[in-house]
Amino acid sequence: MGEKQFGIDNSMLTQYANEIKSLVDNGVQVAIVIGGGNIFRGLQASEGGMDRVQGDYMGMLATVINSMALQAVLEDLGVFTRLQSAIKMEAICEPFIRRRAVRHLEKGRVVIFGAGTGNPYFTTDTAASLRAVEIEADVILKGTRVDGIYSADPEIDKNATRFSKISFNEVYSKDLKVMDMTAFTLCQENKLPIIVFDMNKKGNLSKIIKGEHLGTLVHV
């Protein structure tokens, strides 16, 4: 959304695309999962009385809209992409096929995974964790509005302290909110590290790939 109250901020989209392009230019294989909260949130819809399953499917479609927008900007920058959806939409994207996704990555294409897991009751975090495990990713980079994991919400508690590194077990014991429990447990069970960082600060993505200690590393 950027500075908008709703929808897609083109300047924000371009910034993200340039960040991603910098990784591709350095030979990094990149797969992306995007949420859809700037367009529609299924959980909020269900709280307002809408059927939860219907709301979740609408949220999945919102992620495809965001994915298509990012794909368009990336390709304008000369980055080859493939959009794969967990819900079949042959006219606009490929169905998710693991082997095909891996092959695209090997060829240097950015793969964008849309429509979550294709199932209601699962968040975008779970979709990201599941796809990362399936393609045998080295790490999940979770871009947020804050620069890591804190002892409390830094936007509310001024005394909150940031962790530079924390284990999965410590996150559980301290009851910290990194991602939903299904997604987090999936990462832990598959020994998949997570780096939580501020995606809105220009250059952060490249710095992480180059080994700079930004954000918070969640490790086994």
Side-chain angles (χ1 to χ4, degrees), residues 60-61 64 68 85-95 114-115:
M60 289 179 222
L61 297 181
V64 175
M68 291 175 69
S85 171
I87 299 173
K88 287 186 178 180
M89 304 182 201
E90 288 90 342
I92 55 176
C93 49
E94 299 178 356

Side-chain angles (χ1 to χ4, degrees), residues 145-161:
R145 296 179 302 178
V146 293
D147 61 343
I149 300 169
Y150 283 75
S151 56
D153 187 341
E155 295 181 345
I156 299 172
D157 186 350
K158 299 295 183 184
N159 296 316
T161 55

Side-chain angles (χ1 to χ4, degrees), residues 41-124:
R41 288 187 183 276
L43 193 57
Q44 288 178 353
S46 67
E47 290 169 353
M50 182 182 289
D51 176 71
R52 170 67 190 272
V53 173
Q54 189 81 341
D56 280 359
Y57 276 117
M58 291 170 71
M60 289 179 222
L61 297 181
T63 71
V64 175
I65 292 172
N66 280 340
S67 297
M68 291 175 69
L70 180 63
Q71 180 182 39
V73 178
L74 281 169
E75 298 214 326
D76 277 347
L77 294 174
V79 178
F80 294 107
T81 70
R82 289 294 185 274
L83 171 56
Q84 293 197 343
S85 171
I87 299 173
K88 287 186 178 180
M89 304 182 201
E90 288 90 342
I92 55 176
C93 49
E94 299 178 356
F96 169 69
I97 299 172
R98 176 188 167 275
R99 287 181 181 274
R100 185 179 289 176
V102 170
R103 185 66 179 139
H104 287 322
L105 291 168
E106 290 172 347
K107 289 185 174 181
R109 299 165 183 154
V110 170
V111 180
I112 305 170
F113 296 120
T117 66
N119 301 289
Y121 295 98
F122 290 95
T123 66
T124 310

